[in-house]
Amino acid sequence: LALDPKFGAAAFNLGLVLRDLGRINDAIAMFKHSVDIGYPFDKVEWDLSLAYLTLGDLANGFKHYEARWRLSEAGKMLVDGPMWDGGDLTGKTIMITAEQGFGDTIQFVRYAPLLKQRGAKVIVACQGPLVSLFARTPGVDLAVDRDRRPLPPHDTFAPLLSLPRLLGTTIQNIPNRVPYVFPPPNSPLKLQVPNGTRLKVGLVWAGKPSFKNDRNRSVGLLPFL
């Protein structure tokens, strides 16, 4: 950049480095600067959204998060329109579609009750292994495998991670009624809790190995020992 102040790609990359260093406000400023000097906004928007979300600016973060559909590794829309625009849902059936990993799906299914409160019948099209889990989730009328066809009839749909934007989520009003997922009563997995246990803590120590950034998030159990 010292050699060529108009080198937009370098400014964008510097923004990425600043974000990884935790200098989020500086990163946002550099992302915007890269656009100002001619770097395409559609190449910046995704990373700008993550910076806003890291900062807690959920309104701007989820607004620009829609840029995910332009990424080569983006999930599928799963169904064709009409996509829900935030309008009246009274008496309508809405299908919310899982689009990313298991963790994202479990985290964001918390929005189902908000749609139910608006008078909708709520169908969740999710990954097959999660169907039995979401069948008991409050606000979910029906959970189905997203890969099975035909999907149930519906009036409108929404990608799961678009719901925070459509419902106006801020730090102050994140849906926080917990628990909102419950293990199936016939689950073969039973954990024996020692007598006298006062606090049960779950550790998420590994993610999907095929995720390209898995080396930076799956730490193994050794550090916890």
Side-chain angles (χ1 to χ4, degrees), residues 9 43 51 62 74 77 89 100 121 125 148 156 181 192 204 223 225:
K43 293 186 177 182
F62 282 117
M77 279 285 190
L89 286 174
Q100 300 185 31
K121 176 182 178 180
R148 291 193 177 180
T156 186
V181 288
Q192 298 301 319
V204 181
L225 298 179

Side-chain angles (χ1 to χ4, degrees), residues 31 65 103 164:
F31 288 146
Y65 196 72

Side-chain angles (χ1 to χ4, degrees), residues 20-165:
D20 289 346
L21 288 172
R23 294 169 54 183
I24 307 302
N25 284 307
D26 291 338
I28 290 173
M30 189 55 64
F31 288 146
K32 291 180 177 179
H33 175 66
S34 73
V35 176
D36 289 341
I37 61 177
Y39 198 65
F41 180 69
D42 62 359
K43 293 186 177 182
V44 175
E45 188 176 12
W46 163 251
D47 291 287
L48 180 64
S49 78
L50 299 185
Y52 277 129
L53 290 172
T54 302
L55 205 59
D57 183 349
L58 303 192
N60 277 313
F62 282 117
K63 170 187 172 183
H64 294 295
Y65 196 72
E66 293 301 306
R68 68 193 183 279
W69 301 113
R70 295 197 299 266
L71 302 178
S72 60
E73 63 270 26
K76 298 180 295 183
M77 279 285 190
L78 291 181
V79 295
D80 296 323
M83 189 185 301
W84 185 49
D85 60 3
D88 184 22
L89 286 174
T90 304
K92 296 181 179 179
T93 297
I94 184 170
M95 176 175 290
I96 52 179
T97 56
E99 54 182 275
Q100 300 185 31
F102 281 34
D104 298 279
T105 305
I106 293 170
Q107 184 174 180
F108 286 88
V109 77
R110 69 179 64 206
Y111 281 88
L114 275 65
L115 300 174
K116 189 70 175 175
Q117 291 168 14
R118 290 177 173 235
K121 176 182 178 180
V122 180
I123 300 174
V124 176
C126 60
Q127 298 91 330
L130 296 180
V131 169
S132 61
L133 182 66
F134 292 162
R136 304 181 68 234
T137 296
V140 176
D141 292 293
L142 178 65
V144 298
D145 186 337
R146 66 180 183 180
D147 294 322
R148 291 193 177 180
R149 293 295 187 272
L151 290 170
H154 51 279
D155 299 301
T156 186
F157 86 98
L160 194 56
L161 275 74
S162 292
L163 291 177
R165 174 183 61 84

